[in-house]
Amino acid sequence: HRRAGRHHQDDAVILPGNDPTGREAPAVTSSLDVVVHDVTTPTTAATTIAVPEIVARIPASDVYPLAITDGAVWVGRQAAVERAGSTYPIAQLERRNPRTGALERRVDIEQEAVYGIAADEDTVYVSGGGDGGVPLTTVSGVDVTTNTVRFTHTLEGINCSCPIVAGADGLWLGGDGADYVLRLDPGTGELVTR
């Protein structure tokens, strides 16, 4: 079993910053590093721990949120589409191979911003908005098997530019200075409790 940091998957992990041993990780430029770190060997004071090996780099000009599902690394990005001679902002998910970093698929999402992403076994969730540029918070769900958008839901009257977390009890938005936590329905993105 291989893992590192908070983001893990059986074969590869994303590791920004330091490695799990506390030592400085290999230098990172403007990219995300896909890192493999074996933690199956018991660690004692006499055991040497290998520095994680970077197996792939994912180009990123800015810091973007990411999530990991079985067999994929998902990176959220801001993007734009051209329609009838005008440019419109959208959110976009990139599905990347966890062993090579290669782009496998892009999924366009009809919401103006991406602030955070989270995943459970079958869905990647994207939250965005809730700030001065995009005042209302929008949440979308993308099916990890079909790479299609299941839902996009704008939370009326909610201005929460917040991280998103997927768990056994539902979908949660909170933090970033908000004085509340929102529980959302993971099937629709609709507000359950505040």
Side-chain angles (χ1 to χ4, degrees):
H1 184 69
R2 297 168 184 232
R3 67 179 185 177
R6 294 180 315 195
H7 306 290
H8 67 276
Q9 189 241 350
D10 285 344
D11 294 321
V13 298
I14 299 298
L15 181 68
N18 292 337
D19 76 33
T21 66
R23 290 181 285 182
E24 189 65 26
V28 178
T29 57
S30 60
S31 64
L32 297 172
D33 289 333
V34 178
V35 178
V36 173
H37 181 69
D38 189 346
V39 294
T40 58
T41 306
T43 303
T44 66
T47 303
T48 302
I49 299 175
V51 173
E53 172 191 358
I54 296 175
V55 295
R57 290 190 187 268
I58 299 172
S61 58
D62 293 313
V63 177
Y64 291 101
L66 60 95
I68 296 177
T69 59
D70 189 33
V73 175
W74 297 85
V75 180
R77 296 184 183 270
Q78 293 297 135
V81 294
E82 295 283 331
R83 291 190 189 122
S86 297
T87 303
Y88 297 93
I90 62 168
Q92 191 175 70
L93 280 180
E94 290 184 351
R95 182 185 180 124
R96 297 275 180 163
N97 182 296
R99 301 295 298 157
T100 66
L103 178 65
E104 295 178 339
R105 172 85 83 181
R106 282 193 177 99
V107 179
D108 291 344
I109 303 168
E110 295 294 325
Q111 68 182 59
E112 291 185 55
V114 56
Y115 181 84
I117 67 176
D120 60 21
E121 292 179 9
D122 59 359
T123 306
V124 176
Y125 302 96
V126 179
S127 66
D131 60 13
V134 182
L136 296 178
T137 302
T138 300
V139 176
S140 296
V142 174
D143 184 298
V144 301
T145 303
T146 63
N147 301 303
T148 57
V149 178
R150 287 183 172 168
F151 66 84
T152 297
H153 182 74
T154 299
L155 299 166
E156 296 297 327
I158 304 291
N159 300 30
C160 179
S161 182
C162 303
I164 189 166
V165 177
D169 292 328
L171 195 57
W172 301 86
L173 282 174
D176 198 36
D179 60 353
Y180 51 83
V181 175
L182 305 174
R183 181 174 176 225
L184 308 177
D185 181 316
T188 64
E190 294 177 1
L191 183 64
V192 175
T193 57
R194 182 176 180 160

